[in-house]
Structure formats: C-alpha cells, structure tokens
Amino acid sequence: MPRAYSEDLRRRVVADADKGLSIRAVADKYSVSPSFVSKITCLWRQDDEAAWPLPCGRAMP
C-alpha cells in the first residue's frame, strides 16, 4: 500500500510551484504526479497553509 507524502515534501512542492516552476517540472523534480502538484498547490492557496490535509489510511505500526 502506498504511503502518504510527507509534510516536508508537500511544502517543497508548493514552494517550487510558487516560484513559478510549471506543474510538470515540479512533478518531475520530486517524482510525484502532476495531479498531486496541482491539488496540493490548490489546497494550500485555498486554506493559506492553515490546515494541511492529513494523510489518509491506517497508521503504519
């Protein structure tokens, strides 16, 4: 089962997207999907970093 992306990775993705890198360039740089970059950037802009989405699924032991 895939693991959730770390908060650190999410912050780096958003920071690079805000610097003006394209969604595809950011996705390639961090080996994530372009849809993840788009969604996390949109969520960050809506919430203004107030509430990062929590990882879904069960906790790993």
Side-chain angles (χ1 to χ4, degrees):
M1 175 175 252
R3 292 188 176 188
Y5 293 119
S6 68
E7 185 174 338
D8 178 56
L9 176 64
R10 294 175 191 205
R11 290 181 185 277
R12 287 184 281 148
V13 165
V14 170
D16 280 353
D18 283 347
K19 287 179 185 174
L21 289 173
S22 70
I23 289 174
R24 187 169 300 274
V26 175
D28 289 343
K29 180 177 179 179
Y30 293 107
S31 300
V32 297
S33 69
S35 65
F36 169 76
V37 176
S38 177
K39 289 175 187 175
I40 198 69
T41 304
C42 183
L43 284 171
W44 181 82
R45 288 181 180 148
Q46 284 178 356
D47 295 339
D48 194 29
E49 200 176 4
W52 283 89
L54 298 174
C56 297
R58 63 179 185 201
M60 298 299 287

